[in-house]
Amino acid sequence: MAAIGALVKKVWSIRRFLVLLCTPLVLLPIIISLPPKEGKCLYVILVMAVYWCTEALPLAVTALLPITLFPFLGILPSNKVCPQYFLDTNFLFLSGLIMASAIEEWNLHRRIALKVLMLVGVQPARLILGMMLTTSFLSMWLSNTASTAMMLPIANAILKSLFGEKEASKDLNRENEENPASLQQNKLYTVPTELQFLASTEDKDLMEEKEVAIEVPMDLKKEDEYRANIWKGFLISIPYAASIGGTATLTGTAPNLILLGQLKSFFPGCDVVNFGSWFVFAFPLMLLFLILGWLWISFLYGGINLRHCRKKKSEIRMDAEDRAREVIKEDYQKLGPMKFAERAVLFLFCLFAILLFSRDPKFIPGWASLFTLGFVSDAVTGVAIVTVLFFFPSQRPSCKWWFDLKAPNTENAPLLSWRRAQETVPWNIILLLGGGFAMAKGCEESGLSVWIGSHLHPLENVPPAVAVVLITVVIALFTEFASNTATIIIFLPILAELAIRLKVNPLYLMIPGTIGCSYAFMLPVSTPPNSIAFSSGHLMVKDMARTGLLMNLMGVLLLSLAINTWAKSIFQLGTFPEWANIHGENITALLPDVKNVTLSSLNKI
């Protein structure tokens, strides 16, 4: 038995290598059993899907596989594959990441967070709301991981002032074996462990010695339980708010931009999805979900207690809230008065958002109508604004400098240096986006999307509204175990063809699928924000599972409500559009050939 155990451990230690080698061999029959081009393309996509789900290779390296495999297998020439990695959608995302780097460089995000917390108040339910509002707003522009990593230390400092340093450390060692290593992506700073926030071990040991012979009253037990629950509520609300907030803007999370890129690939005539139209649809949905999520978390973890809402607060709680208020105020004062560089970045950030929103909002003519039709995209807007960051001075310019001969002749540093941008921008996500677009191009050019469409007959009788719910549920469950980006890359081509079969607007299925893959709340490994919060040591898997289950359910229902109400007027979802009709006609024309090739290839077998 010992030998078998040792062998199992050795195999487990090389599991990634085994997946890397075995997956291409196991999937080889696909090339033989399907039409030549379609089979080869599906083979590449499934190999990439397995690598993404198991992380046998780094996600970005897996995304580069189409550059090699598509030309070798005769699916696409390299001069068609490589440009997919730098479409205008990639540059829109890159401009958002660079703007986020400038915001982080001058601590503007921390100033915004502390100011919001000062405004909402320090009662637990209000603080949870403040945390969720701030995190969701930041994740609209920064990455979800960065927003979570920035907010967690602030939350821990406030909680330490609310409940003291000793109570919070009681459950420090609980479930240490359960906690996965916190994800460190994109060179983001790691979130400090609980030991760095809470009391020292020596203090804890002294408290335990004193408590040995003391009988703890029931009131104190209830108070300790209340404090532990509030702590959990704070920590769990931050990653959830980051995932919800990222859906509100096109640049908020990678799946939104993958939708935009794949729409341009599958349906070149589709121009209804841009930054402005997406924001008008997704922002109300985000707010609604955020409020309901806050009510659920506050109710579950004691922030809102209907029984005790009329009871007068104890002096202990009032003192704790005063301490928390002082901590927030002190942290805000440490930032000092707003610097010239902060004001400049804030102005450029507001200009960035306003110009993206007003370029072509659809319900009124945008400023892009002043230029040649089709020439100015969101990427042009984004890159134009972030370029200013690299030359705009970080110190206020003065005319006196020219006449003061003794003034130092040093160059004024810009708001953002290229070296800083290189260090903070997650370039791997750019490659991941490119891999998704290359995959979509391969599906289109090889005819795989047509082949998939020909095998979706059983789903043609499903009512579209039911299809939306089913799609969102399946994708939300799938993304609990796989990367959000990988999930949407795999599912979007299938959803596009299913929409053609159902004769509904493709956006009616593709938008819920895209947003649904951000609704991963149940497991610590579902998203990097979940893992970061879980690594603090206060949360158990069962805490995330019971909270996330209802969050997933609320997300599915709210998304179904949104797509069947206000989204219909924004994206014209009530009609089958001309740009989709052209695509559908092309599929119909190709279907007989696909069927003949499929039958002939099967007869050979």
Side-chain angles (χ1 to χ4, degrees), residues 520-533:
F521 304 114
M522 289 179 63
L523 296 174
V525 295
S526 301
T527 63
N530 288 8
S531 296
I532 291 173

Side-chain angles (χ1 to χ4, degrees), residues 5 31 44 128 145-146 160 285 325 384 429 445 537 555 591 600:
I31 297 179
V44 173
I128 290 174
T145 311
K160 188 170 67 173
L285 173 63
R325 192 180 290 108
I429 304 297
E445 294 285 332
L591 273 177
S600 62

